[in-house]
Structures are given as structure tokens and as C-alpha cells.
């Protein structure tokens, strides 16, 4: 696993490519082969999450995607399983987007693979109580090395790393599978010789659910400029006895983070559960950060009391510094 983390001595790093999008589309997808996959959650977790590596060989995507972009997967039927496809209505051309979890050179260092972090969607229908299996996530997690599937992309221009990644400090905040792009970004940074500060604050429900924990521990052990902090919402508590979310960790590390966030070249990324921004923006306001500006007529007290569906959030969103505060929540 660590072989994807540190560059083998005999290879040179590929340059960061220009940003291109939609090399492959639903009408003209690429038939990618699954190269390998491995579990990234503790075996005792009730959830199932896989790191899946696809071959891009012979495609126009080789060496062309950037970390921060996404790849579409078309779950057009579970392999040779007509009964499954009938029950789950999976024969669809709709694509499902997944953030790229590898650095821009892939896990093979040649740009010929792309990796995704995929959690199986397994739930019950609220009304009927029937089992619902997410078509795309289970399709990908069931795939075996050698299986083929149609992929599209890359897509996305608004969550990229800067073109000069070594000239910035970073605060990465993730919840759940929102961790995917940060794995690639950290591999990219440390292999390029990153010497500034990088923080990763990662929120998951249970300690069995920390994706890529070994990878992040590896970086934390080898690079003193990397600070890795988890927020285990259902095992740890804040001062009021409530769930411990990522924003509490930000607050607890405020003495280090507030001065870092004042630097003009800092980049603050958040990725994961929709709603995480509503806890993070008030903290940014409280520390006086100019990553987000208070829209006219609103006070910090107003914002701390806003419900998640309040129309004011779209105004707050527009007042964010889009170059320095990058967000992908879903
Ligand atoms: P919880 O589910 O305990 O409320 P998941 O893998 O299920 O997507 O988990 C993502 C993590 O983000 C969980 O720990 C979840 O906590 C947490 N979370 C949910 N809502 C928010 C929020 N508004 N702000 C920060 N973290 C959140």
C-alpha cells in the first residue's frame, strides 16, 4: 500500500497537467479495466469502503487528470447478473461522479491508472423497510480485477490544487468519503518536496471508519509539517457533551490555525457531507478570517443561529474567497 505513497527511486515525477475536462462523455465513455482494489476500513466496521484502481491505458486520460477532479462511472448493469439488474434497475446510462483519490500520476506513477474511494450504499427504504443497494457504489465495489466498466471525465475545475502547489500552506477538512481528494493531494505534495504546513482534519462516525488511516499516519510519522487530526463523532464529545465534529477540532487548534489562515497564500479545502460548512463558516468568522466575509446586514450571532435551509447561506456562499477557500460538499 505504501508503494503508492512514496515515489520509487527509478521513476521521475510527471509534471502537473493543464486542466482538461470531458475527454470522455456518457455518449463516448472509456472502457476502463479494474486493476486492483483493497479495503480501506477496519474489518470490524459495519461499513464497506474500497480503494479501486482503474487502468487508463490507451485512453486520452493518461497523465491528463488533476487531483481535485472527478471521474464518472456508468453503472450499466452488474456483471452478467440479469436478476440483480432487474431488481435494482441498474441498467442505466446515468453516471455517478466520484472524486479522484490518487495523485495526478495515479497509483502507478505513470498516469496510467486512476483510483476512486467508494463506499457501498446500503440502507433501508424509510417507508417500506426494503433493502436498498446503491447501484453505482455496489457495482464498483463488486468489481474484480480484470472487470471492465465505462467511465467518463475528468470533470471539475473548482477544487483543484494550485499550479504551484509547493508555495502554499494547506488546511484540508474532510468528512466521510470526502477524504478522497486529500489522499491524492497529500501524496502529490510530499513527493514534490513540500516544506510548508499541511493540516488534515478528518471526521468519521466511528474509529473503525477512518479511511486511509495508515496512509495518513505514514505521512504524519515521516513529515513533521503534516498535522493529522481525526474527529470521531459518535465516540468523542465536545465540551457540551455533544458529538465531536470537525469544527471542534478546528477550534481546539485555533492557536496554530488562526495565524496560518491569515497568510495570503493559504488554501482551505473542505470536502464531504453537505452541512459541514455551516459549522465551519461561523468558526472562520469568529477567528476574524477573511476567507469568508460577513454579508451586509448579518452578524456573527445571526449566522450561528441560522438553520441549514436558511436562504442566507447562499449569500454567505457568494461572500467566500473562492480562490483560497475551496469547497465540495454533497
Ligand atoms: P454523524 O453521522 O455522527 O452525525 P459519513 O461517513 O457517514 O458520511 O460520516 C461523515 C462524518 O461527518 C460523520 O462523523 C458525521 O457525524 C459527520 N457530520 C455529519 N454532519 C456534520 C456537520 N454538519 N458538520 C460536521 N460533521 C458532520
Amino acid at each position: 500500500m505504501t508503494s503508492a505513497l512514496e515515489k520509487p527511486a527509478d521513476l521521475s515525477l510527471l509534471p502537473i497537467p493543464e486542466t482538461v475536462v470531458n475527454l470522455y462523455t456518457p455518449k463516448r465513455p472509456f472502457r476502463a479495466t479494474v486493476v486492483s482494489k483493497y479495503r480501506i476500513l477496519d474489518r470490524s466496521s459495519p461499513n464497506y469502503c474500497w480503494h479501486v484502481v482503474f487502468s487508463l491505458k490507451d485512453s486520452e486520460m493518461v497523465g491528463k487528470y488533476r487531483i481535485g477532479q472527478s471521474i464518472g462511472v456508468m453503472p450499466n448493469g452488474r456483471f452478467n447478473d440479469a436478476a440483480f439488474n432487474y431488481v435494482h434497475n441498474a441498467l442505466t446510462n446515468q453516471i455517478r461522479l466520484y472524486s479522484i483519490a490518487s495523485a495526478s500520476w495515479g497509483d502507478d506513477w505513470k498516469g496510467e491508472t486512476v483510483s476512486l474511494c467508494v463506499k457501498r450504499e446500503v440502507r433501508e427504504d424509510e417507508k417500506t423497510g426494503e433493502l436498498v443497494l446503491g447501484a453505482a457504489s455496489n457495482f464498483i465495489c463488486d468489481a474484480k480485477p480484470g472487470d471492465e466498466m465505462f467511465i467518463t471525465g475528468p470533470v471539475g475545475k473548482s477544487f483543484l490544487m494550485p499550479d504551484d502547489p509547493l508555495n502554499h500552506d494547506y488546511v484540508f477538512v474532510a468528512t466521510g468519503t470526502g477524504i478522497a481528494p486529500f489522499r491524492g493531494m497529500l501524496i502529490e505534495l510530499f513527493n514534490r518536496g513540500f516544506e510548508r504546513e499541511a493540516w488534515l482534519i478528518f471526521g468519521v462516525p466511528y474509529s473503525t471508519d477512518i479511511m486511509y488511516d495508515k496512509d495518513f499516519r505514514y505521512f504524519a510519522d515521516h513529515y513533521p509539517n503534516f498535522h493529522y487530526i481525526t474527529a470521531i463523532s459518535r465516540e468523542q464529545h465536545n465540551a457540551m457533551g455533544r458529538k465531536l465534529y470537525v469544527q471542534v477540532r478546528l477550534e481546539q487548534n485555533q492557536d496554530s490555525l488562526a495565524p496560518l489562515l491569515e497568510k495570503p497564500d493559504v488554501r482551505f479545502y473542505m470536502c464531504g457531507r453537505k452541512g459541514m460548512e455551516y459549522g465551519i463558516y461561523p468558526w472562520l468568522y469568529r477567528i476574524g478570517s477573511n476567507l469568508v466575509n460577513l454579508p451586509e446586514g448579518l452578524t456573527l450571532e445571526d449566522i450561528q443561529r441560522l438553520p441549514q435551509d436558511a436562504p442566507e447561506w447562499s449569500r454567505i456562499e457568494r461572500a467566500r474567497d473562492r480562490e483560497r477557500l475551496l469547497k465540495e460538499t454533497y
Side-chain angles (χ1 to χ4, degrees):
M1 224 190 292
T2 38
S3 63
L5 301 186
E6 295 277 5
K7 184 179 79 61
D10 56 330
L11 289 178
S12 38
L13 287 181
L14 298 181
I16 297 176
E18 293 285 306
T19 310
V20 290
V21 293
N22 296 324
L23 291 172
Y24 293 93
T25 59
K27 285 209 173 104
R28 185 180 164 268
F30 176 67
R31 185 186 274 267
T33 308
V34 174
V35 180
S36 59
K37 61 174 201 175
Y38 58 81
R39 283 196 178 85
I40 49 170
L41 293 184
D42 192 281
R43 289 300 285 272
S44 61
S45 168
N47 297 304
Y48 309 100
C49 193
W50 292 84
H51 179 81
V52 186
V53 183
F54 297 88
S55 172
L56 297 177
K57 228 171 168 180
D58 302 324
S59 82
E60 293 164 34
M61 253 193 271
V62 173
K64 295 273 180 56
Y65 66 80
R66 286 181 69 152
I67 184 64
Q69 292 190 301
S70 300
I71 291 287
V73 176
M74 297 167 74
N76 42 356
R78 188 155 134 175
F79 311 100
N80 305 319
D81 190 339
F84 178 96
N85 293 336
Y86 176 77
V87 173
H88 298 282
N89 195 19
L91 286 165
T92 159
N93 280 339
Q94 280 185 351
I95 59 161
R96 169 80 169 80
L97 288 177
Y98 291 90
S99 298
I100 294 171
S102 43
S104 54
W105 47 68
D107 284 350
D108 67 338
W109 301 91
K110 299 180 196 155
E112 290 183 354
T113 67
V114 67
S115 306
L116 305 180
C117 162
V118 186
K119 181 175 171 187
R120 285 186 190 274
E121 190 196 338
V122 180
R123 60 183 170 83
E124 283 183 353
D125 183 283
E126 264 183 42
K127 286 203 186 103
T128 65
E130 280 175 12
L131 180 66
V132 180
L133 297 174
S137 65
N138 285 287
F139 175 70
I140 301 170
C141 290
D142 282 346
K144 295 173 202 63
D147 283 339
E148 291 178 334
M149 61 185 73
F150 288 116
I151 66 169
T152 62
V155 296
K157 289 183 177 174
S158 59
F159 200 71
L160 304 176
M161 290 201 92
D163 291 335
D164 56 344
L166 303 188
N167 299 332
H168 302 270
D169 298 278
Y170 297 89
V171 178
F172 300 121
V173 187
T175 52
T177 48
I179 194 64
F182 301 141
R183 173 188 182 267
M185 289 184 186
L186 289 164
I187 297 175
E188 191 111 20
L189 285 174
F190 289 118
N191 282 281
R192 291 195 186 278
F194 179 67
E195 289 181 343
R196 293 178 66 167
E197 294 287 305
W199 290 69
L200 172 63
I201 318 281
F202 185 15
V204 292
Y206 298 101
S207 41
T208 52
D209 291 333
I210 312 172
M211 293 121 187
Y212 302 113
D213 188 43
K214 278 196 195 119
D215 295 5
F216 301 133
R217 283 180 194 281
Y218 175 86
F219 285 134
D221 289 346
H222 287 77
Y223 300 99
N225 54 338
F226 177 51
H227 311 274
Y228 172 44
I229 297 167
T230 53
I232 317 285
S233 61
R234 300 185 198 174
E235 292 177 9
Q236 300 167 329
H237 299 99
N238 67 11
M240 326 264 278
R242 300 212 185 99
K243 283 181 178 179
L244 195 136
Y245 282 163
V246 283
Q247 55 267 30
V248 178
R249 291 296 192 217
L250 290 167
E251 192 143 20
Q252 288 170 344
N253 291 279
Q254 189 160 311
D255 290 351
S256 305
L257 289 174
L260 191 73
L261 294 180
E262 271 175 24
K263 294 170 80 170
D265 44 20
V266 74
R267 293 289 179 271
F268 187 100
Y269 288 75
M270 53 178 125
C271 187
R273 274 278 194 107
K274 179 105 197 111
M276 64 187 281
E277 58 270 60
Y278 305 132
I280 293 173
Y281 288 162
W283 174 72
L284 288 169
Y285 289 128
R286 281 200 296 280
I287 62 168
S289 166
N290 61 4
L291 292 169
V292 275
N293 298 305
L294 266 179
E296 214 164 293
L298 284 178
T299 64
L300 174 59
E301 285 66 39
D302 295 334
I303 284 175
Q304 296 191 136
R305 269 191 253 113
L306 282 180
Q308 291 205 2
D309 55 358
E312 284 84 352
W313 284 114
S314 58
R315 281 176 60 209
I316 295 168
E317 206 46 64
R318 283 198 295 274
R320 120 173 108 93
D321 178 339
R322 283 172 188 270
E323 199 188 329
R324 296 192 306 136
L325 194 164
L326 299 96
K327 192 192 83 157
E328 203 157 84
T329 56
Y330 40 84

